[in-house]
């Protein structure tokens, strides 16, 4: 008995390959069966289930720090405020200790705009701000004209692990 190899292709891709005995018709189908030219293509495979949503990244623990300082000039107030912010964060991290993870390499310090904290007013009017605000990689500083001091600045940062 001699067998031939028959293949059916759909859209240029090999869909089926099988050994067909010679007793079947030339197209590989048994007599009376629809031939490959008239046969309906197989139904499309069922759609894949929707992908599971990506797992949420672990929650980061963050703390906001803000320090307000004054000075005889905007530059002096800004410098004092930023230095006091750095010292406050360093002192806080040291107090947390090694076991807390706040002294490890994975801690990030980012600039964060804090609400001004004026000494002698309840709020700062928009016409009293010095522009532009000072932003560095680790602090965001907002300065305004003080009541007694020439300038007052609030520096802010967000510390996360």
């Amino acid at each position: 008995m001699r067998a031939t190899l028959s293949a059916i292709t759909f859209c240029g891709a090999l869909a089926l390959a099988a050994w067909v005995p010679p007793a079947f018709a030339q197209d590989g189908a048994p007599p009376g069966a629809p031939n490959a030219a008239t046969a309906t293509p197989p139904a499309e495979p069922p759609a894949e289930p929707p992908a599971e949503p990506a797992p949420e990244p672990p929650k980061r623990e963050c703390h906001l720090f803000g320090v307000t300082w004054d000075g005889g000039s905007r530059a002096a107030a800004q410098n004092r405020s930023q230095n006091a912010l750095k010292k406050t964060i360093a002192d806080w991290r040291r107090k947390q200790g090694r076991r807390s993870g706040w002294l490890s390499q994975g801690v990030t310090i980012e600039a964060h705009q804090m609400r001004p904290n004026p000494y002698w007013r309840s709020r700062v009017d928009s016409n009293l701000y010095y522009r532009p605000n000072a932003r560095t990689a680790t602090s965001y500083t907002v300065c305004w004209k003080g009541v007694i001091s020439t300038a007052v600045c609030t520096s802010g940062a967000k510390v996360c692990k």
Side-chain angles (χ1 to χ4, degrees), residues 9-137:
T9 58
F10 294 103
C11 302
L14 183 63
L16 171 71
W19 287 99
V20 180
F24 290 116
Q26 186 175 1
D27 63 0
N35 62 24
T38 61
T40 57
E44 291 189 24
E48 293 184 26
E52 292 182 24
E56 289 187 28
K59 300 281 185 197
R60 296 188 72 189
E61 182 180 348
C62 296
H63 294 272
L64 298 178
F65 291 87
V67 175
T68 299
W69 209 268
D70 66 345
S73 68
R74 176 186 177 182
Q78 181 176 320
N79 193 12
R80 286 177 172 178
S81 178
Q82 290 173 338
N83 287 338
L85 177 67
K86 288 178 192 174
K87 184 177 180 335
T88 300
I89 292 171
D91 290 347
W92 179 81
R93 288 177 70 189
R94 200 169 16 269
K95 284 180 185 176
Q96 298 306 306
R98 289 197 183 278
R99 288 188 176 190
S100 68
W102 287 105
L103 292 175
S104 67
Q105 297 292 336
V107 175
T108 60
I109 302 174
E110 304 170 359
H112 183 81
Q113 184 175 1
M114 300 296 288
R115 183 175 292 158
N117 185 20
Y119 299 136
W120 301 101
R121 308 175 186 188
S122 59
R123 64 184 182 88
V124 179
D125 292 331
S126 61
N127 62 331
L128 296 176
Y129 286 104
Y130 288 110
R131 300 283 182 214
N133 295 332
R135 184 183 180 115
T136 67

